[in-house]
């Protein structure tokens, strides 16, 4: 998602986008140095541990990479941003998977829907992303923004297959079927998300958004 933003953002000539090799969000020193070295007007956190299945192997483990990146990494970022909060708009990219969902209340949800607190009803990845939202709110309050997205897709990206890319590949290989036919989902077109991020950065509008999620299919 972040790589597309640096390609098409209206402000791409003003962006600083460090590679992980020079900027590890689990290292508070790295982060403080970068945040204090530039005159940032916004910091968008696209970084996360995103392998939902692999994250399950670390369920409950706060020393695991998933918790360290998704929660402690975000804590490092917001702590570094806090002294500059009047100038820097911090935007945390989050996910619909912060909601546990239920048959009685399957969504779609409003921005103020309580996120899943019961670990047994939510993926470890979703739980860590939810804890990250709490950390952002706890340290920066409503001066920060949280943007929840779902199934982000883009037209062509060879490094990683997205939700549609995977289905098209299986179709080409003749192995797409059998497939469910009773599910409704909404996806995020990453180009639209980028436009939205540009708008809230330029207008300095700070809040929680679920703009890209009309239906929720989180289990
Ligand atoms: N994909 C989805 O279905 C989905 C759905 C909803 C929300 N989201 C959220 O959208 C955001 C972007 O997701 P994505 O699909 O673009 O994920 P992605 O392709 O896995 O990208 C995540 C990025 O985070 C970087 N990263 C991981 N650990 C880091 C660390 N310790 N320090 C610095 N950078 C680190 C990775 O760098 P390396 O490549 O160098 O490891 C990678 O570039 C995430 O916050 C994710 O939770 C994704």
């Amino acid at each position: 998602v972040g790589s597309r933003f640096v390609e098409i953002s209206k402000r791409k000539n003003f962006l600083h986008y460090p590679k992980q090799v020079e900027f590890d969000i689990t290292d508070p020193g790295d982060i403080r140095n970068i945040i204090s070295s530039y005159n940032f007007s916004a910091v968008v956190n696209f970084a996360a541990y995103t392998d939902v299945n692999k994250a399950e192997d670390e369920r409950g483990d706060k020393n695991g990479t998933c918790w360290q990146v998704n929660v402690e990494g975000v804590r490092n970022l917001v702590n570094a941003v806090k002294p500059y909060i009047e100038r820097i708009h911090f935007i945390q990219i989050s996910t619909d998977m912060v909601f546990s969902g239920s048959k009685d209340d399957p969504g779609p949800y409003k921005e103020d829907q309580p996120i899943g607190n019961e670990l047994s009803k939510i993926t470890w990845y979703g739980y860590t992303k939810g804890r990250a939202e709490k950390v952002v709110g706890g340290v920066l309050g409503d001066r920060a923004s949280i943007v929840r997205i779902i199934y982000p897709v883009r037209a062509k990206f060879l490094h990683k297959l997205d939700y549609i890319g995977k289905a098209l590949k299986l179709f080409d290989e003749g192995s797409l079927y059998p497939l469910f036919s009773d599910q409704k989902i909404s996806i995020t077109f990453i180009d639209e998300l980028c436009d939205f991020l540009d708008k809230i950065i330029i207008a300095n509008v700070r809040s929680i958004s679920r703009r890209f999620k009309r239906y929720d299919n989180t289990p």
Side-chain angles (χ1 to χ4, degrees):
V1 179
S3 59
R4 186 62 176 153
F5 184 67
V6 300
E7 270 174 29
I8 64 168
S9 167
K10 291 188 182 70
R11 295 168 61 85
K12 68 178 178 186
N13 295 333
F14 302 99
L15 294 179
H16 179 79
Y17 39 96
K19 302 272 182 289
Q20 188 173 339
V21 68
E22 60 165 305
F23 185 69
D24 180 345
I25 62 167
T26 64
D27 182 332
D30 267 9
I31 293 175
R32 274 196 306 271
N33 288 343
I34 289 212
I35 301 284
S36 59
S37 320
Y38 294 84
N39 205 22
F40 290 116
S41 54
V43 170
V44 187
N45 179 30
F46 295 98
Y49 183 103
T50 55
D51 190 327
V52 179
N53 292 332
K54 252 171 83 181
E56 286 308 305
D57 297 339
E58 299 183 3
R59 175 170 280 270
D61 179 6
K62 294 190 176 174
N63 293 316
T65 315
C66 184
W67 180 277
Q68 286 300 316
V69 174
N70 289 358
V71 183
E72 301 309 327
V74 170
R75 196 187 312 280
N76 293 336
L77 281 166
V78 293
N79 282 338
V81 163
K82 193 174 178 196
Y84 311 102
I85 190 59
E86 290 312 316
R87 165 166 50 87
I88 299 179
H89 179 185
F90 181 81
I91 302 173
Q92 166 73 359
I93 304 297
S94 194
T95 167
D96 62 308
M97 291 184 97
V98 298
F99 299 117
S100 47
S102 71
K103 272 191 181 163
D104 298 334
D105 185 14
Y109 302 123
K110 294 206 164 127
E111 289 82 349
D112 55 2
Q113 169 84 12
I115 62 175
N117 276 321
E118 265 189 76
L119 182 51
S120 61
K121 294 190 175 160
I122 197 168
T123 60
W124 181 238
Y125 162 79
Y127 187 77
T128 61
K129 294 289 289 185
R131 291 313 95 185
E133 290 193 7
K134 299 263 187 207
V135 169
V136 174
V139 177
L140 301 179
D142 59 8
R143 304 299 293 143
S145 295
I146 292 169
V147 178
R148 298 187 185 123
I149 61 173
I150 174 168
Y151 293 126
V153 297
R154 58 191 282 188
K156 271 193 187 134
F157 188 58
L158 299 177
H159 304 294
K160 181 178 170 187
L161 288 177
D162 57 33
Y163 188 72
I164 292 181
K166 274 182 207 152
L168 289 174
K169 180 170 180 282
L170 291 174
F171 181 78
D172 286 344
E173 292 168 357
S175 53
L176 180 61
Y177 302 103
L179 186 67
F180 55 77
S181 57
D182 59 350
Q183 307 262 321
K184 248 190 217 172
I185 65 152
S186 180
I187 56 177
T188 301
F189 180 39
I190 297 173
D191 291 23
E192 280 182 357
L193 169 69
C194 294
D195 188 43
F196 173 74
L197 290 174
D198 272 338
K199 284 196 168 96
I200 63 170
I201 290 169
I202 291 163
N204 199 16
V205 175
R206 309 185 185 200
S207 67
I208 294 188
S209 169
R210 60 172 186 105
R211 185 186 148 104
F212 298 95
K213 183 168 67 69
R214 286 180 51 214
Y215 301 105
D216 195 288
N217 70 338
T218 308

